[in-house]
Amino acid sequence: MALVTISGYPSSGKSTRALQLKKYFEDKISEPVYEGPLKNVVLISDDSLGLTRDGYNDGRAEKPQRAALFTAVQRNLGTSTVVIVDGLNYIKGFRYQMYCAAREAQARVATLFVAATPEICRTWHQSKPEDARYTEATFENLIQRYEEPSSMVRWDSPLFTVPWNEAETPVEGVWQAITAGVLKPPNAGTKAIAKPPADALQALETTAATIVATIMEAQGLGGSSGGKTRIWSKSGGQTETAVYMQLPARTVTLAELQRLKRQFVSMHKKAITQGATENGPVDWTEDGIAEKLGDYLEERLVAGV
């Protein structure tokens, strides 16, 4: 999958470039020798989404416009799709938002900047039908607010700049970027947090309680000599899972074990909503909880952490 963001002043010729890219990509995909994963091309624009230019007349109306565009981008970032975003894309924060969505979807990215002077854009803007024009005030405001892409920032890279008076669009370069360019991993902040199973809290409580009871029983049978003690065992099919821990050479009281159990459970309740603890991801199986609790008790009872 891939995302191509087109950016430029209003009426700079972005839609013309978008159509050139779309045709080139479709021709490449239809070649008999092509065996890549990309199978279709989707062109997203204000026009394709039925968004009017009046939506850019004020900030409150513009936010839903951008939200609709962003939602369409996310919806179309499929495993075999090239998404071309033909829009103003004049705010670097919005380009960054689309870039993060592409990285989360494991899509390659490229940005095409259509460079034109404000004077040329004004002339082309006036030549359009009235229903395809912005108001004069809105047009000038968009020119003033435009934040030009830069190859120095990751969300605009790789950046392809094409002057308004250049007939050819760098279609081959963009194609290489979205088919053979560097595929960046998702940002840590955009990764979905793994959710624990619905019965995670119950498993946490019951497993911890069982281990406390097992330790008290083992001490009653063997005295306070300490040493390696089996604190958990469970049979599954033809295999048996066993967890051992080192007990101190003294009697551990029930109150002490209950206090450590409550600390352990409280700490891991937080992980039920976050999917991880300070010590890393949690194995929410009973065996995994037993192993974690065994390590936790050893650190505090034997090592004195």
Side-chain angles (χ1 to χ4, degrees), residues 1-278:
M1 67 187 78
L3 173 69
V4 180
T5 302
I6 300 181
S7 183
Y9 286 149
S11 299
S12 59
K14 298 184 299 298
S15 295
T16 298
R17 306 295 179 172
L19 291 172
Q20 290 174 342
L21 283 174
K22 184 174 186 292
K23 183 179 185 308
Y24 185 83
F25 294 165
E26 289 174 339
D27 290 345
K28 292 289 287 186
I29 291 171
S30 64
E31 290 178 355
V33 295
Y34 176 71
E35 297 180 349
L38 300 177
K39 303 300 179 185
N40 61 301
V41 184
V42 174
L43 177 58
I44 298 173
S45 67
D46 286 351
D47 290 338
S48 72
L49 298 175
L51 304 176
T52 67
R53 283 153 181 77
D54 291 341
Y56 294 93
N57 290 343
D58 65 81
R60 285 178 299 177
E62 186 178 333
K63 287 182 179 179
Q65 300 258 119
R66 287 201 301 270
L69 191 68
F70 181 68
T71 299
V73 169
Q74 288 183 302
R75 185 171 60 248
N76 285 281
L77 276 175
T79 55
S80 61
T81 303
V82 183
V83 178
I84 302 173
V85 188
D86 172 24
L88 289 171
N89 301 324
Y90 69 99
I91 300 173
K92 62 184 178 182
F94 183 61
R95 297 197 298 269
Y96 175 72
Q97 187 180 9
M98 291 193 291
Y99 163 81
C100 288
R103 284 187 63 172
E104 186 175 356
Q106 289 289 275
R108 291 184 171 90
V109 298
T111 303
L112 182 70
F113 171 42
V114 184
T117 65
E119 291 74 20
I120 289 294
C121 294
R122 290 188 186 99
T123 300
W124 286 353
H125 183 248
Q126 289 299 324
S127 67
K128 290 183 175 182
E130 186 174 352
D131 61 353
R133 296 202 303 259
Y134 303 94
T135 66
E136 290 300 317
T138 298
F139 179 86
E140 294 299 329
N141 187 33
L142 292 171
I143 292 285
Q144 292 297 321
R145 293 168 59 195
Y146 185 76
E147 296 175 327
E148 186 174 315
S150 170
S151 60
M152 301 297 291
V153 297
R154 61 189 183 279
W155 59 87
D156 289 332
S157 300
L159 177 64
F160 299 86
T161 301
V162 53
W164 65 272
N165 57 355
E166 191 168 303
E168 298 299 323
T169 300
V171 289
E172 179 58 29
V174 178
W175 174 256
Q176 288 299 319
I178 64 173
T179 56
V182 175
L183 186 59
K184 297 179 181 179
N187 285 322
T190 65
K191 287 183 178 178
I193 297 174
K195 293 183 179 180
D199 62 347
L201 182 57
Q202 181 182 356
L204 178 65
E205 292 277 8
T206 57
T207 303
T210 299
I211 287 175
V212 168
T214 301
I215 292 174
M216 292 302 298
E217 183 181 355
Q219 287 188 136
L221 294 174
S224 58
S225 59
K228 188 175 182 179
T229 304
R230 185 166 69 174
I231 61 171
W232 174 263
S233 63
K234 185 176 181 181
S235 298
Q238 297 181 353
T239 62
E240 181 182 9
T241 302
V243 176
Y244 294 83
M245 68 166 284
Q246 189 78 15
L247 287 176
R250 63 178 179 83
T251 300
V252 182
T253 66
L254 177 61
E256 190 175 7
L257 284 174
Q258 292 284 20
R259 176 177 59 81
L260 291 173
K261 178 184 84 78
R262 285 194 300 270
Q263 291 175 357
F264 178 84
V265 170
S266 177
M267 179 176 65
H268 285 72
K269 276 182 180 178
K270 182 172 129 182
I272 290 178
T273 58
Q274 295 184 353
T277 67
E278 292 82 355

